[in-house]
Amino acid sequence: ELSAAEVHSFVERFTAGEVADYQMTAWLMAVCLNGMTARETAELTVAMVQSGSVADLSDIPGHKSDKHSTGGVGDKISLVLAPLVASFGVVVPMMSGRGLGHTGGTLDKLEAITGFNVELGMAEFKQLLRTSGVAMVAPSADFAPADRRMYALRDVTATVRAIPLQTASIMCKKLAENPDSLVLDVKFGSGAFNQEVDEAVALAQSMLAAGERAGKQTTAFVTSMDEPIGRAVGNWLEVAECIDTLHGEGPADLEELVVVQSGQMLLQAGVVKSRAEGVERCRAALRDGSALAKFRQMVEGQGGDLRMVSVARPVLPTSFLAAAFSHRRRCGPGGYLHRP
């Protein structure tokens, strides 16, 4: 078992170019074969955070909360969740990713809105958080640089699946944002990266431990990805479906995942006294227009064309989609893990 000093020194020297790629590759393979303890994994996560800049949001008032999903087909939850949670006064500093494999990422979907700018500097990012309470942007190049280099090596050495390495890669970027609390959506099933439920639960528990060791209240939902979420697949179609959901008229499975995770974020921010109360209030915000108004404010603040998210919302080709997905089953949350 490696000491904290050994883990931090190794990552620091790798980032500085003093540890060669072949040495890091050998170490990654050793982790893949032998695993890491929860403490080692947490130390690796912190070392990767400290390899670059950490956002200082202390001058922005309010509780800062973020959410991360391990992704899948039709996973558009963040586009609804972020403005919904922000409509309650919680600050949502969301740094998101691009596509993974055959699925579009959150940033790809947002860029389907003409003019929407996800490449913001830290000063612009913080200004949007002050004025709108929400911003969805790409991580800057100086956030967790060790992760980018390590992931490139993992990708070509078949070590991507190792739970400690998945944990550190995901959590280092979330912790570099420096939120007060985190909600994680860990997918399992045929369309997920971790297809077996036991593997998804292990990853969720590992990320919970890393988040808590870093002093962040962290919750993990373990949810099904055996079917696409909602009805729409494809960047612009998914944006349009999110606008439907922000009008309170979205697919039932998408709305359920959004309000349950948003309700937990409100609970962790101290806005509500129970997750059930948070869920109820989030459903109401999807119907009274407050979440939609916050979404439009975010789009305008990041340069997006408001005509594309107008009140006369886009019309999905529902007959085609209904035929294409007539076989699908509704999937709500598949389970729930929480450490208070």
Side-chain angles (χ1 to χ4, degrees):
E1 183 175 350
L2 298 175
S3 69
E6 288 171 328
V7 173
H8 284 258
S9 173
F10 189 63
V11 173
E12 182 179 341
R13 287 162 50 219
F14 173 69
T15 306
E18 297 171 10
V19 170
D21 285 356
Y22 72 87
Q23 292 173 305
M24 175 57 77
T25 297
W27 185 80
L28 293 171
M29 289 179 175
V31 170
C32 191
L33 291 170
N34 300 318
M36 299 183 85
T37 65
R39 184 198 59 77
E40 284 178 303
T41 302
E43 293 295 350
L44 175 61
T45 304
V46 172
M48 290 166 67
V49 171
Q50 294 176 350
S51 72
S53 300
V54 177
D56 181 5
L57 306 180
S58 59
D59 56 340
I60 299 174
H63 184 97
K64 293 88 180 177
S65 183
D66 191 18
K67 167 258 179 189
H68 175 80
S69 171
T70 57
V73 179
D75 188 355
K76 56 191 77 74
I77 294 169
S78 293
L79 275 70
V80 182
L81 174 145
L84 172 59
V85 173
S87 71
F88 289 91
V90 179
V91 179
V92 184
M94 189 171 286
M95 293 187 181
S96 301
R98 297 196 178 274
L100 181 63
H102 60 284
T103 61
T106 298
L107 300 182
D108 303 307
K109 294 165 190 176
L110 288 169
E111 287 181 334
I113 302 171
T114 302
F116 196 100
N117 182 16
V118 299
E119 303 290 344
L120 301 180
M122 183 54 64
E124 295 172 291
F125 179 55
K126 291 177 68 172
Q127 183 58 29
L128 282 174
L129 295 178
R130 290 189 186 94
T131 56
S132 302
V134 58
M136 301 178 75
V137 302
S140 60
D142 59 347
F143 270 53
D147 178 59
R148 278 189 295 279
R149 290 187 58 201
M150 290 170 67
Y151 191 91
L153 296 176
R154 289 166 59 205
D155 191 41
V156 297
T157 56
T159 56
V160 172
R161 297 191 69 87
I163 294 294
L165 301 180
Q166 286 189 61
T167 298
S169 180
I170 292 169
M171 293 299 290
C172 74
K173 294 186 285 286
K174 292 287 107 178
L175 295 176
E177 293 175 14
N178 205 16
D180 298 314
S181 63
L182 278 168
V183 166
L184 306 169
D185 184 1
V186 183
K187 302 295 187 185
F188 71 92
S190 60
F193 185 71
N194 300 292
Q195 296 189 359
E196 299 300 323
V197 65
D198 290 346
E199 188 178 10
V201 169
L203 176 60
Q205 291 173 330
S206 180
M207 291 195 292
L208 283 171
E212 290 168 355
R213 192 172 184 88
K216 310 295 183 182
Q217 185 182 13
T218 308
T219 301
F221 293 84
V222 178
T223 64
S224 173
M225 185 44 73
D226 279 323
E227 301 282 348
I229 298 173
R231 294 185 299 268
V233 177
N235 293 340
W236 170 245
L237 292 178
E238 292 186 45
V239 172
E241 188 167 77
C242 287
I243 296 169
D244 271 348
T245 305
L246 287 162
H247 281 84
E249 299 178 12
D253 60 341
L254 173 58
E255 180 176 308
E256 183 69 14
L257 287 165
V258 166
V259 298
V260 169
Q261 294 173 34
S262 298
Q264 180 64 29
M265 291 173 73
L266 295 186
L267 175 62
Q268 293 177 182
V271 176
V272 296
K273 294 183 179 179
S274 69
R275 185 161 60 94
E277 180 191 350
V279 168
E280 183 179 350
R281 292 186 62 183
C282 286
R283 286 197 200 278
L286 289 177
R287 287 162 175 77
D288 67 17
S290 54
L292 176 63
K294 184 60 68 173
F295 179 77
R296 287 173 56 81
Q297 185 181 10
M298 179 185 74
V299 170
E300 184 176 31
Q302 293 188 231
D305 186 346
L306 283 177
R307 293 174 297 178
M308 298 185 71
V309 293
S310 63
V311 175
R313 59 192 183 279
V315 178
L316 290 173
T318 51
S319 59
F320 168 77
L321 290 169
F325 293 100
S326 61
H327 67 284
R328 73 176 304 280
R329 303 185 303 272
R330 282 186 179 177
C331 296
Y336 176 65
L337 292 170
H338 179 225
R339 292 182 184 175

